[in-house]
Amino acid sequence: MTREKTFTLVKSYKPFHSKFDPCPPIGRKYYRTPPNLYINFQPPNMEQFTPEDALKYGTLWKFFYDFYDNPYRERET
């Protein structure tokens, strides 16, 4: 099963910063939404992990697995 790219799991927003605020601006904030928010029902015969992999990934179904990547970490290029 392949996911359509009609949504993104990583979202961001920029907090309001007043010109009278004594603190420096925070910058962009990021948050993740779980894949199960974008599916209304569980289709039959979804692809599953093996029991050992399900314990490692935290879910039985491959569609619901979402790898966490820290958006604040500096990337090596």
Side-chain angles (χ1 to χ4, degrees):
M1 174 181 244
T2 60
R3 286 189 222 168
E4 295 180 18
K5 295 293 182 182
T6 57
F7 63 91
T8 176
L9 298 175
V10 179
K11 298 183 176 37
S12 67
Y13 66 96
K14 190 169 182 179
F16 175 75
H17 184 263
S18 170
K19 62 182 179 179
F20 302 112
D21 193 347
C23 300
I26 294 176
R28 190 157 289 280
K29 301 295 273 180
Y30 296 90
Y31 65 98
R32 297 185 71 83
T33 54
N36 61 327
L37 290 178
Y38 303 100
I39 188 167
N40 295 333
F41 64 95
Q42 181 178 328
N45 302 323
M46 284 183 71
E47 190 175 359
Q48 296 182 352
F49 286 118
T50 63
E52 295 82 19
D53 287 341
L55 288 172
K56 184 168 63 172
Y57 295 124
T59 183
L60 182 59
W61 296 278
K62 291 184 178 184
F63 182 82
F64 295 128
Y65 174 68
D66 181 27
F67 173 74
Y68 176 75
D69 186 24
N70 188 348
Y72 301 105
R73 184 188 68 202
E74 296 208 12
R75 309 227 186 279
E76 295 179 11
T77 56

